[in-house]
């Protein structure tokens, strides 16, 4: 009787170096890859937006461009002296020009400004100074401004002065100013003015103009982003 010879057992082959390096792509590695990619995209988008804000700010200060802003001295709604070089420096200032007898545009823009103040204050307390400068000094005394502005926001600073002082400030901020000189009490006249919010940095330089097309939320984001980009000290109080 013939006996079958046992089948020889083949020795296991060690995986080659190249084979050992090739491993299946695990779900954990996939998640890590996606998170890393998303993080890089977010970072580059943030940097792109930051560089664009920096470009806008630097372009606003460009050589050969008409300068927006400048030193001035006026009275606030409490009758106290207000000097831009001391009271505005060290904070971002949001400057708006209007007048208390304005029938519709100023109330709408001041409501929007109040929203900006609250939104910016919630994330950067004390970093922004909201300033309202009248274009109608004959009718907007400190007492009138105090009564008018408290209807919109307690944080608003109202400024007035002589006709010459207001005209000078409007000229420095490139604001259209049509108020006639030498008006007498009781006279009726029209006042026209530019409708922009002027954002000034803590050094007193013009940064960006915010127009009527911006909502409170959009405008607050612009302001907060500029504040976050600022690398110098900010004055408290």
């Amino acid at each position: 009787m013939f006996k079958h010879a046992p089948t020889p057992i083949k020795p296991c082959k060690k995986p080659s170096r190249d084979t050992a390096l090739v491993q299946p792509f695990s779900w954990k590695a996939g998640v890590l890859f996606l998170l890393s990619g998303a993080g890089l995209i977010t970072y580059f988008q943030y940097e792109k937006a930051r560089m664009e804000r920096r470009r806008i700010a630097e372009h606003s200060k460009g050589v050969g461009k008409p300068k927006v802003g400048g030193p001035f001295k006026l009275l606030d709604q409490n009758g106290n002296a207000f000097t831009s070089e001391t009271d505005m420096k060290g904070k971002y200032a949001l400057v708006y020009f209007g007048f208390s007898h304005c029938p519709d545009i100023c109330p709408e823009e001041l409501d929007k400004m109040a929203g900006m103040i609250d939104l910016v204050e919630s994330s950067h307390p004390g970093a922004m100074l909201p300033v309202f400068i009248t274009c109608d000094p004959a009718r907007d005394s400190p007492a009138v401004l105090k009564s008018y502005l408290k209807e919109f926001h307690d944080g608003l600073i109202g400024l007035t002065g002589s006709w010459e002082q207001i005209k000078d400030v409007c000229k420095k901020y490139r604001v259209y100013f049509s108020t006639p000189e030498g008006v007498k009490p009781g006279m009726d006249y029209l006042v026209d003015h530019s409708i922009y919010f002027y954002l000034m940095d803590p050094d007193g330089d013009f940064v960006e103009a915010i127009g009527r097309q911006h909502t409170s939320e959009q405008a607050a984001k612009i302001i907060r982003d500029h504040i976050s980009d600022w690398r110098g000290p900010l004055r408290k109080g």
Side-chain angles (χ1 to χ4, degrees), residues 3-186:
K3 292 184 178 179
H4 294 287
T7 304
I9 299 173
K10 293 182 179 180
C12 292
K13 264 182 149 185
K14 284 188 178 181
S16 68
R17 180 179 178 84
D18 292 340
T19 306
L21 290 174
V22 179
Q23 297 293 334
F25 190 71
S26 71
W27 69 268
K28 289 183 178 179
V31 170
L32 183 61
F33 176 78
L34 290 174
L35 289 175
S36 299
L40 283 172
I41 291 172
T42 301
Y43 172 75
F44 285 126
Q45 287 176 337
Y46 169 79
E47 280 298 303
K48 182 180 178 181
R50 187 180 69 83
M51 293 303 293
E52 177 62 15
R53 291 192 298 273
R54 182 177 178 183
R55 185 193 68 78
I56 291 171
E58 291 300 321
H59 181 69
S60 300
K61 306 174 190 177
V63 176
K65 290 181 66 64
K67 180 178 173 61
V68 176
F72 63 83
K73 294 181 180 180
L74 296 172
L75 290 178
D76 69 15
Q77 69 263 50
N78 296 311
N80 299 319
F82 184 99
T83 304
S84 61
E85 291 185 299
T86 54
D87 294 310
M88 284 172 58
K89 289 293 180 72
K91 290 176 179 280
Y92 272 85
L94 186 66
V95 182
Y96 182 76
F97 291 81
F99 62 108
S100 65
H101 284 69
C102 183
D104 45 25
I105 293 175
C106 288
E108 290 174 6
E109 295 301 283
L110 284 172
D111 276 334
K112 187 165 73 176
M113 192 176 188
M116 292 184 224
I117 295 169
D118 289 336
L119 288 168
V120 173
E121 189 68 15
S122 67
S123 58
H124 297 84
M128 185 182 78
L129 193 71
V131 178
F132 176 92
I133 300 178
T134 183
C135 292
D136 186 12
R139 290 184 291 198
D140 285 344
S141 64
V144 169
L145 285 182
K146 186 171 186 176
S147 175
Y148 178 66
L149 294 177
K150 73 179 182 181
E151 299 296 325
F152 298 97
H153 199 284
D154 290 338
L156 279 165
I157 296 173
L159 300 179
T160 188
S162 67
W163 185 89
E164 291 80 6
Q165 287 175 315
I166 296 300
K167 183 181 179 181
D168 178 63
V169 177
C170 287
K171 183 178 179 181
K172 287 176 177 176
Y173 277 80
R174 311 293 165 183
V175 172
Y176 178 67
F177 177 68
S178 67
T179 306
E181 185 179 8
V183 293
K184 297 177 182 178

